[in-house]
Amino acid sequence: MAVQLTIPYETLVELVEQLPPAQQRALIERVQHKTEAPTSLSEQLLIFEVGEWDPAWTLRREDEYDDDSD
């Protein structure tokens, strides 16, 4: 993807280098947000951490809700 700059690229780099570090990071995040493809739901779920699993917990509904309905 080509970008048409009205200033030379080197000038842009020099201007960005003059920004405070927080503004540089904000600019980088903004540019990356526009260029990165949105992640799929499965990729988003991969970063979800559930924490420690209590050994007393089970995956059975009947065990958690104390009923035996099918």
Side-chain angles (χ1 to χ4, degrees), residues 13-32:
V13 171
E14 290 174 12
L15 290 171
V16 171
E17 288 174 345
Q18 292 177 24
L19 292 172
Q23 288 183 338
Q24 287 180 7
R25 285 190 297 275
L27 178 61
I28 289 169
E29 289 175 12
R30 182 174 177 177
V31 170
Q32 286 178 338

Side-chain angles (χ1 to χ4, degrees), residues 7-67:
I7 60 173
Y9 177 78
E10 293 77 18
T11 304
L12 175 64
V13 171
E14 290 174 12
L15 290 171
V16 171
E17 288 174 345
Q18 292 177 24
L19 292 172
Q23 288 183 338
Q24 287 180 7
R25 285 190 297 275
L27 178 61
I28 289 169
E29 289 175 12
R30 182 174 177 177
V31 170
Q32 286 178 338
H33 177 71
K34 299 283 185 185
T35 58
E36 290 180 353
T39 57
S40 67
L41 180 59
S42 61
E43 290 172 340
Q44 291 174 16
L45 292 175
L46 289 176
I47 61 172
F48 180 74
E49 294 185 27
V50 295
E52 293 294 319
W53 185 264
D54 187 331
W57 296 341
T58 69
L59 295 177
R60 293 182 40 162
R61 181 191 184 287
E62 296 83 8
D63 293 339
E64 297 302 322
Y65 292 98
D66 202 25
D67 65 7

